[in-house]
Amino acid sequence: MQRYSGFALAKHALSHHENWERQWRNPTPKKAYDVIIVGGGGHGLATAYYLAKEFGVKNVAVIEKGWLGGGNTARNTTIVRSNYLWDEAAALYEHSMKLWEGLSQDLNYNVMFSQRGVLNLGHTLQDMRDIQRRVNANRLNGVDGEVLDAKGVQEIVPILDCSKNARYPVLGASWQPRGGVARHDAVAWGFARGADAHGVDILQQTEVTGFKIRDGRIYGVHTNRGDIEAKTVGCVTAGNSGVMAKMAGIKLPLESHPLQALVSEPLKPVLDTVVMSNHVHGYISQSDKGDLVIGAGIDGYNGYGQRGSYTTVEHTLQAIVEMFPIFSRVRMNRQWGGIVDTCPDACPILSKTNVKGLYFNCGWGTGGFKATPGSGHAFAASLAKGEMHPLAAPFSIDRFHSGALIDEHGAAGVAH
Amino acid sequence: MFHIYCPYCEEWREEEEFHAKGQAHIQRPLDPESCSDEEWGDYLFFRDNPRGIHHELWVHAVGCRKFFNITRNTQSYEILETYKMGEQPRFTAECPNGESRDGAASADLDSQTASVQEARA
Ligand SMILES: Cc1cc2nc3c(=O)[nH]c(=O)nc-3n(C[C@H](O)[C@H](O)[C@H](O)COP(=O)(O)OP(=O)(O)OC[C@H]3O[C@@H](n4cnc5c(N)ncnc54)[C@H](O)[C@@H]3O)c2cc1C
Ligand SMILES: [Zn+2]
């Protein structure tokens, strides 16, 4: 792999930047691999990267039906934080946060991780009590966090309406200074380049159409480019996981819903942190390019349409204008949707299945981008060893029969 | 934006008046005391999540406030029928063209279950 550096930039300037190496190959599928990862989103690519780099499994393929990061990975609002309530979730997201903090260096790829801080606003007494409880839990778990009152919030975000006359006055917030945003495409590309450099075959435009299962064990997949064998298959297909599970004869407790985002015309810098409100239900940050990046709630009904409904856009913009009257005349440039697979307890599934050798990593719902490196790392460790990694083990499918749920609706950030 | 026919109000109303409440026809185990953890967990948490025809429970939240069912395609978003609680759907994954349960084509589609075609913009 050609390394990126100031020196390389200067050197390539001499040849007008026409001789840069391709970031990853476009190989023809082999007959068999040790491990197949289905789904070339951030989580799938991260899994392949850590499998090859850290766990020494070199004969790996990532199979992607479209293009890298064309799913939720490059459709999200890029918010990264780790202030979840329950120990299991806090541990998993904080593991991810630590990897984020060194990710650009590790990948030799600038993922533009920016720790500009994340505010979760409280608008009612109950919100404030929940925030208090969550921040206390975070600090006991070694996750940074503070409880701010309205004045403290106003100091960080002067353009936020913190007056008492607001319809839903801001009473305070939780504040995680280490939280922030990252450039989502770069995350997919950086992991893809890193995985490729360690020998992983990334097969784009290749769709898995079925699983080869015999005697309760997996031994490969059917694709539109022929059958490919592997005794270990990790399915990391986000919004399509219900459909994939059905192909394997497995049921998952998931429902797929559209979740949408909007970006405005670019503005001069006005907002240098991330503001989220569960109560009025909108979240917003400003990208390095200047556009406001705004997230909505999920559509209330199941759907596979990557657009999202108008009613949801309207509610979201009402929330944003309620918080930021200054944005009432900003024009929105684009809107799109992704399909998120929501779980009944708002936590992901990282699990073995009834089919030996077939694993699922899904159910991240509205909040999995922040987990990309941590999810990939813990899932890779599980696939390499054949045993779920301690950080992943509590997220097994069994919890929906044992009752050991990890109810994160309060900390999930988006109502669902 | 959906236009939805409420089978109780017998009127077409906008999506905003309704709330989706998840998969329809979920049967609570008749004897919860004696069912296994597996059966109880399935009942509580496991849902069909098809890319295609789906039977859903909706409530006319700011209208008559009654619950009713919708058969909808989760990919095209076409609403094929709305029907009252206790009634069975005419459109199913097995019979996507609206044949009734016993296989006979249903020529007698009345206004309550007439197809609703509001494709979304
Ligand atoms: C609008 C929006 C805003 C969001 N905001 C945030 C946020 O601010 N912070 C946050 O943490 N999370 C956020 N999320 C959630 C986050 O984006 C997802 O949880 C995360 O990106 C999931 O990553 P993934 O790699 O599992 O999925 P994806 O990136 O969706 O990758 C799955 C891949 O599988 C492929 N695939 C599917 N079926 C097949 C098949 N049969 N064969 C081969 N390939 C297949 C798909 O093409 C896709 O590329 C948001 C999501 C949306 C939609
Ligand atoms: Zn009604």
Side-chain angles (χ1 to χ4, degrees), chain A residues 38-45 63-80 84 93 206-209 236-240 244 247 258-261 276 283 295-296 336-341 361-362 364-372:
Chain A
V38 186
H43 288 221
L45 293 164
I63 304 184
E64 165 56 48
K65 71 175 174 184
W67 64 94
L68 301 185
N72 291 333
T73 293
R75 287 168 188 267
N76 63 64
T77 45
T78 76
I79 302 168
V80 175
Y84 280 68
Y93 289 104
T206 310
E207 179 167 2
V208 170
T209 52
V236 198
T237 49
N240 206 34
M244 302 305 288
M247 285 187 207
L259 176 70
Q260 54 191 312
M276 310 183 68
Y283 38 102
W336 65 88
I339 305 306
V340 298
D341 46 353
N361 177 345
C362 58
W364 290 95
T366 58
F369 175 67
K370 62 177 78 66
T372 306

Side-chain angles (χ1 to χ4, degrees), chain A residues 240 256 301-302 304-305 401, chain B residues 15 42 49 51 72 74 77:
Chain A
N240 206 34
S256 297
Y301 35 85
N302 290 28
Y304 288 90
H401 291 129
Chain B
E15 178 181 336
D42 282 355
N49 190 21
R51 191 186 275 272
R72 196 173 59 87
T74 60
Y77 286 77

Side-chain angles (χ1 to χ4, degrees), chain B residues 6-23:
Chain B
C6 173
Y8 293 101
C9 296
E10 304 187 348
E11 272 177 32
W12 298 82
R13 309 305 294 253
E14 288 187 357
E15 178 181 336
E16 286 269 78
E17 291 192 8
F18 300 86
H19 282 306
K21 292 288 184 183
Q23 188 180 341

